[in-house]
Structures are given as C-alpha cells and as structure tokens.
Amino acid sequence: MAILEWDKAENLPSRTYSCAYCGHEVASNQGYVTSSASLVEEEHHIYICPFCCGPTYFRPDGTRFPDMPFGHAVKYLPSGDLEALYNEARTALSVNACTAAVLCCKKILVYISVNKGAPPGRPFQEYIDYLNGNGYVPPDAQDWVDRVQKIGGNAGHKIEHVTRHDAEVWLTLIEALLRFMFEYPTILSDHRKRFSST
C-alpha cells in the first residue's frame, strides 16, 4: 500500500487548472509535494487555489480530486431543492461517484415529472412515460431516454454497476431536460416582455 507523506507548503512548478471549489481558472504555484519519506516513486501534489484556498490533489498521471463538476449550471429552476439536487449529481460525478450521480438524476426526473403534473408516488417508468406522453421529451431524443432507462437498474432497490460514461449520459440528458423545461421558456418569456414594452 502506498503511503504518502507531505512536507510543509512550498513553491511548486506553476500549474493551470479550474478550481472545483470556486470555479476560477487559476495558475497556482503554492501547495504540497510528497516528501522523500513517502513510499512512492513519483511525486504527488496538492495545489492551493489562490482565490479560495481550496486544495486540489493531483496524482502523477494528472488525474485530480476534486474535479470540476460535470456539465453546466442551469438557470431559472423552479426551486432551490431541484438546483441543489442537480448540483449534487454534478459534484458526485466529479469524484467518480457514478452510481450516486445516476440516483440523483433519477430523483430529478421524478421531481420534474411531478412539477409538470404527474401524480406523486408512482413507479419510475410512469414518470418516463408521462414526460414522453406530454411532449417534454423531444422526438429525436427518444432513443436517448430509452438508453438511460437501462443504466443503473430500473428501481432504487435494484442498482447495477454504473460506469462514468453511463453517468455522463444520464447527466447530459438531465441538463438538456432542465434547460428545455425551465431555462429556455423563462429566457423566451423575458425576451417577449422586453420587446412588447418597446
């Protein structure tokens, strides 16, 4: 088992990266490097963000923890709970918690179905059918929806192995649905109000 020992903070070779904590694109040269007492051949680094002081760990192969949240923020969501759940899914994927990310996505799909008029407490498949039957899933996205249904099992009590690629497919669909159902209608409504008042 590798044991990492760290020296005190010091000047490091500058590294440019996006900070997962504050979102800034930074060039940091402050942090920690594994000491000679570590039982590893290659150096590991922890860089400190100059904006928020958040630590980011870099393995010798360049992988980092935490990574940036997957996808993009979505505006005009109808509740803080939905926004928090979407951000939780994005953050879960940033630390390779793929099954957790997919479970969040399934909960989001149930939430938006109920928000759009589906009855609560129904089987998961009924929420997929509700969104399809009421025009919330664009026709060309049907294959996409069929594919994500097969990822991670069909119910919360039957979870199958979820790969990072699987979780990325789910999160990409959820982001698209949230934009289609909440962000774009609000933007369009704002434009209409602005043009009608001039």
Side-chain angles (χ1 to χ4, degrees):
M1 182 172 95
I3 297 175
L4 303 180
E5 303 251 349
W6 303 91
D7 286 328
K8 62 182 180 179
E10 60 183 275
N11 288 330
L12 300 174
S14 184
R15 183 187 288 263
T16 301
Y17 62 97
S18 296
C19 177
Y21 303 99
C22 67
H24 283 94
E25 184 77 14
V26 301
S28 175
N29 68 346
Q30 293 294 307
Y32 303 87
V33 64
T34 46
S35 72
S36 57
S38 297
L39 300 179
V40 292
E41 293 181 15
E42 297 179 273
E43 290 183 342
H44 295 239
H45 296 90
I46 296 174
Y47 278 83
I48 305 300
C49 174
F51 282 93
C52 71
C53 298
T56 301
Y57 165 60
F58 288 89
R59 288 181 172 162
D61 65 4
T63 58
R64 53 177 277 192
F65 298 95
D67 202 350
M68 287 293 291
F70 182 82
H72 304 89
V74 177
K75 298 178 183 177
Y76 310 118
L77 295 178
S79 78
D81 289 342
L82 180 57
E83 182 177 8
L85 189 57
Y86 173 60
N87 287 332
E88 182 178 336
R90 295 176 62 215
T91 302
L93 192 51
S94 77
V95 294
N96 288 321
C98 301
T99 302
V102 167
L103 287 174
C104 285
C105 287
K106 289 185 171 188
K107 190 169 181 180
I108 289 169
L109 199 141
V110 171
Y111 182 101
I112 60 179
S113 299
V114 172
N115 177 271
K116 294 299 183 180
R122 307 304 301 162
F124 182 73
Q125 181 61 46
E126 288 190 22
Y127 293 116
I128 298 272
D129 295 341
Y130 182 86
L131 292 176
N132 280 332
N134 288 279
Y136 292 112
V137 176
D140 291 342
Q142 186 56 54
D143 288 346
W144 196 5
V145 172
D146 291 343
R147 180 176 176 193
V148 298
Q149 283 183 264
K150 299 172 185 173
I151 296 173
N154 291 322
H157 62 276
K158 183 184 176 185
I159 301 302
E160 299 164 4
H161 175 69
V162 177
T163 67
R164 182 174 179 90
H165 177 72
D166 292 340
E168 287 180 0
V169 169
W170 252 109
L171 256 170
T172 302
L173 172 65
I174 291 297
E175 180 180 335
L177 287 176
L178 292 176
R179 288 191 190 285
F180 178 69
M181 296 169 76
F182 301 111
E183 184 174 86
Y184 295 150
T186 304
I187 291 172
L188 181 59
S189 176
D190 288 347
H191 280 297
R192 284 180 180 149
K193 288 176 188 172
R194 207 173 320 147
F195 286 120
S196 65
S197 63
T198 56

